[in-house]
Amino acid sequence: VQLQASGGGLVQAGGSLRLSCASSGSISSINIMGWYRQAPGKQRELVATTTTYGTTRYADSVKGRFTIYRDNAKNAVYLQMDSLKPEDTAVYYCNGRKFAMGSRNDYWGQGTLVTVSS
């Protein structure tokens, strides 16, 4: 599985962006799809995840502003980002995590840069 993230760009504070993550293969068997981000000088952090059951999880810093959703038919996962803040500036990475036979496989996209100006 290869993941391709897109949709980043420059936006003013208060604006919106939608990130897309397209998979080269089926994501229906990937247990958890998610978005992480890494700001300059900081560690990569979880932004949001969604499971095959539709359960979602968000970082406290984005709750109420970001929405993650997956489309298994299109083999894609999206991150709708509203009310963006300068502190949301980071490279955003798409992640897929699959559990099978007692092991865990992680798939990462190449990252897409989001810059929020004040």
Side-chain angles (χ1 to χ4, degrees), residues 67-115:
T67 303
I68 186 171
Y69 54 103
R70 64 194 287 169
D71 187 335
N72 287 342
K74 294 183 178 180
N75 293 319
V77 63
Y78 306 94
L79 184 68
Q80 177 66 41
M81 306 187 295
D82 299 317
S83 302
L84 282 161
K85 303 176 181 180
E87 50 263 45
D88 294 319
T89 295
V91 177
Y92 285 70
Y93 297 90
C94 177
N95 169 264
R97 179 163 294 173
K98 184 174 181 179
F99 298 93
M101 303 294 288
S103 65
R104 186 184 90 182
N105 290 310
D106 274 296
Y107 307 96
W108 290 96
Q110 86 287 4
T112 184
L113 177 63
V114 172
T115 303

